[in-house]
Amino acid sequence: MNDILGIPNKINNILLNIVELTDVDEFLKEYVNGIILNKKNIHYNVNNNILKNAKMLDCKKQKIKREDIIKLIASFSYSSLNSENIKICIIKNIEYATIEVINSLLKFIEEENNNEYKIFTTQNLKQVYPTLLSRLPFFNVSFKEKTLILLEEILIQEGLKVFFLNNKEVILSLYKDLDELKQDIKNGIIVKIIDFCESLLSRASKSSLVLKVNKFTTFNYEEIKIICMVLFYKTNKEKLIDIIENINLNINKYLLFNEICEILKN
């Protein structure tokens, strides 16, 4: 693996600009094992998706002080636990660091060693101190490609490869949480919803329309919201968004179905 999501192989000091929400710790695990360690001889142990043997600080969750950085730098003077003496530190959400912390890091960053990797992450590149930006190459990390790969694996396991090829962009527009997506694939909800939307958009006889309205009433209100989102993605009819925003548990599903059909006609 020469790169992950467009990040060049084995850059010792790097700033990763996380431009989409995702499981950052899972990505960092993949980055370390896939790029730095190259999946050959060394694999760091992972505990609860945290890189156990890497030095990790989070400037958003922790109140990082200059003393913490001094301790971090001192730890790099000791031998590593792995056979190739590779040392890794990860500092997340560096945009929350104080100027004192940044100044303490500058010399540490400038002292490069082929076996040392210093990884910084941010979710707001504009808030990172310029003195740090000037010393680090940075890359935007988009997880759309990675999510597509995981999505394809899940759907192929379920025997839904053709369904994936036809609907991957629609599915990605609906879900931000991969675990929720997995659940809806496993229980057949997402396939049922998209198949229903496809049938609704196709030209149908009056008799099949009766079958469709009966099927529509079997969906709960959260599923009807997803139906409207799929239809909006496929037709760009903005009135479908109004339905999503105004839906409530007391609405008559037959009337709701008729309203959706009228929107699709116009």
Side-chain angles (χ1 to χ4, degrees), residues 15-17 95 122-129 133 138 140:
L15 173 62
L16 302 175
N17 184 34
E95 70 270 29
T122 180
Q123 291 187 327
N124 191 341
L125 197 64
K126 292 180 180 178
Q127 295 298 318
V128 178
Y129 279 102
L133 277 176
F138 69 86
N140 291 323

Side-chain angles (χ1 to χ4, degrees), residues 1-207:
M1 184 182 295
N2 292 324
D3 63 78
I4 291 178
L5 306 184
I7 303 172
N9 193 19
K10 291 194 174 181
I11 293 180
N12 291 74
N13 299 336
I14 191 169
L15 173 62
L16 302 175
N17 184 34
I18 311 297
V19 295
E20 293 179 18
L21 294 177
T22 188
D23 189 337
V24 176
D25 290 330
E26 184 65 27
F27 170 76
L28 290 171
K29 179 184 73 173
E30 182 178 346
Y31 180 77
V32 168
N33 281 316
I35 292 182
I36 298 173
L37 305 179
N38 207 22
K39 292 187 176 178
K40 287 184 178 177
N41 300 318
I42 310 164
H43 290 275
Y44 278 91
N45 295 322
V46 177
N47 183 18
N48 296 327
N49 284 334
I50 301 295
L51 294 165
K52 189 177 179 181
N53 293 318
K55 304 293 181 182
M56 184 178 286
L57 298 173
D58 190 330
C59 297
K60 185 176 181 180
K61 293 182 178 179
Q62 303 161 268
K63 194 173 181 179
I64 308 300
K65 298 178 181 177
R66 180 174 174 273
E67 291 75 16
D68 298 312
I69 303 303
I70 292 171
K71 288 179 184 177
L72 172 68
I73 295 170
S75 71
F76 265 57
S77 64
Y78 305 129
S79 295
S80 176
L81 295 176
N82 61 72
S83 59
E84 294 189 16
N85 199 32
I86 290 178
K87 300 169 186 175
I88 301 167
C89 81
I90 299 169
I91 301 182
K92 295 164 61 178
N93 298 303
I94 193 64
E95 70 270 29
Y96 289 92
T98 64
I99 188 63
E100 290 79 12
V101 165
I102 297 296
N103 288 337
S104 300
L105 284 167
L106 296 181
K107 188 177 179 182
F108 180 52
I109 293 169
E110 289 168 356
E111 293 174 349
E112 290 196 19
N113 183 306
N114 286 336
N115 287 334
E116 294 180 0
Y117 295 89
K118 298 144 191 174
I119 304 165
F120 301 84
T121 76
T122 180
Q123 291 187 327
N124 191 341
L125 197 64
K126 292 180 180 178
Q127 295 298 318
V128 178
Y129 279 102
T131 49
L132 188 69
L133 277 176
S134 65
R135 288 165 171 81
L136 289 171
F138 69 86
F139 294 86
N140 291 323
V141 179
S142 170
F143 288 86
K144 185 176 180 181
E145 181 182 343
K146 178 179 174 171
T147 305
L148 273 172
I149 292 168
L150 294 173
L151 175 61
E152 183 175 15
E153 289 174 356
I154 296 165
L155 288 168
I156 287 175
Q157 287 172 8
E158 298 294 313
L160 297 168
K161 185 174 182 178
V162 174
F163 179 82
F164 163 76
L165 293 173
N166 292 336
N167 297 288
K168 58 185 179 181
E169 294 295 338
V170 178
I171 296 171
L172 283 177
S173 72
L174 296 174
Y175 291 88
K176 296 298 182 187
D177 186 326
L178 196 59
D179 288 333
E180 184 184 346
L181 172 58
K182 284 179 184 177
Q183 185 60 41
D184 280 0
I185 290 170
K186 292 284 185 185
N187 62 28
I189 292 294
I190 190 63
V191 176
K192 183 181 174 184
I193 285 173
I194 292 181
D195 282 349
F196 175 78
C197 292
E198 292 289 353
S199 69
L200 198 60
L201 290 169
S202 67
R203 293 181 180 179
S205 66
K206 236 178 179 180
S207 59

